Amino acid sequence: MSEIRPEDHGKLLSVGEVAQRSGVAVSALHFYERKGLIESVRNSGNQRRYKRDVLRRVAIIKVAQRVGIPLTEIAEAFSTLPRGRTPDVADWEKMSSIWHDDLNERIQALIALRDQLTGCIGCGCLSIASCPLRNYMDRLSDSGPGAHFPPLR
């Protein structure tokens, strides 16, 4: 958090104003700030104040989260943006293109799961030993039922 410059006084928003305008809870804004996704400055009473560009950043966070982008990846994308300016259309295009391939991979994985589920509904066994959904990639299943731990070295 940095200090408030005199020329910024009339342009800054309180945490409540950001919450109201963005539709995001105050606690979420504090969380985003702890994660380094947004930043605030402090006034003389030690209250958080946000530059107006935080509204665009919060909008990007919410859209990215809605399509399943983890906060760590959002933070990585934000780290490529210039500090002190509102993200623009070109910034959004750059970030969204980075996430595009990942989203396509996840979509394909979900389609495969959906198709497996359809087969599972037809089978109905839900066997812990052989069901590909219930026992996905279980390497220790050949050891028999119950909990198994790999040998210590």
Side-chain angles (χ1 to χ4, degrees):
M1 288 181 234
S2 56
E3 294 295 317
I4 299 174
R5 298 180 320 208
E7 62 270 19
D8 287 335
H9 276 283
K11 302 175 189 172
L12 299 175
L13 302 169
S14 70
V15 69
E17 290 170 322
V18 174
Q20 181 182 19
R21 290 183 61 182
S22 68
V24 173
V26 169
S27 59
L29 295 172
H30 291 172
F31 178 76
Y32 295 157
E33 192 169 348
R34 283 192 307 276
K35 294 295 182 183
L37 296 165
I38 61 174
E39 60 182 35
S40 67
V41 292
R42 296 288 182 148
N43 68 9
S44 59
N46 202 32
Q47 297 171 323
R48 285 179 171 91
R49 293 293 182 256
Y50 296 92
K51 294 180 181 176
R52 292 182 184 278
D53 72 325
V54 76
L55 295 170
R56 176 69 57 91
R57 288 178 183 266
V58 171
I60 291 169
I61 293 166
K62 295 312 295 176
V63 168
Q65 282 185 307
R66 182 158 186 193
V67 297
I69 305 298
L71 286 177
T72 54
E73 290 182 31
I74 298 169
E76 284 175 26
F78 278 3
S79 72
T80 68
L81 298 176
R83 291 178 61 100
R85 82 163 168 78
T86 303
D88 60 18
V89 172
D91 296 325
W92 174 247
E93 287 174 356
K94 182 180 174 185
M95 286 185 287
S96 63
S97 70
I98 291 169
W99 298 326
H100 188 266
D101 291 339
D102 180 54
L103 286 173
N104 279 336
E105 287 176 20
R106 284 195 262 161
I107 289 167
Q108 292 304 314
L110 285 171
I111 289 170
L113 281 172
R114 180 202 61 204
D115 294 346
Q116 286 179 345
L117 182 61
T118 301
C120 195
I121 291 169
C123 169
C125 75
L126 298 176
S127 166
I128 189 109
S130 62
C131 180
L133 291 179
R134 177 123 159 79
N135 191 23
Y136 179 70
M137 297 180 71
D138 183 4
R139 295 183 301 241
L140 297 174
S141 63
D142 293 337
S143 301
H148 300 280
F149 299 96
L152 297 174
R153 294 182 184 201

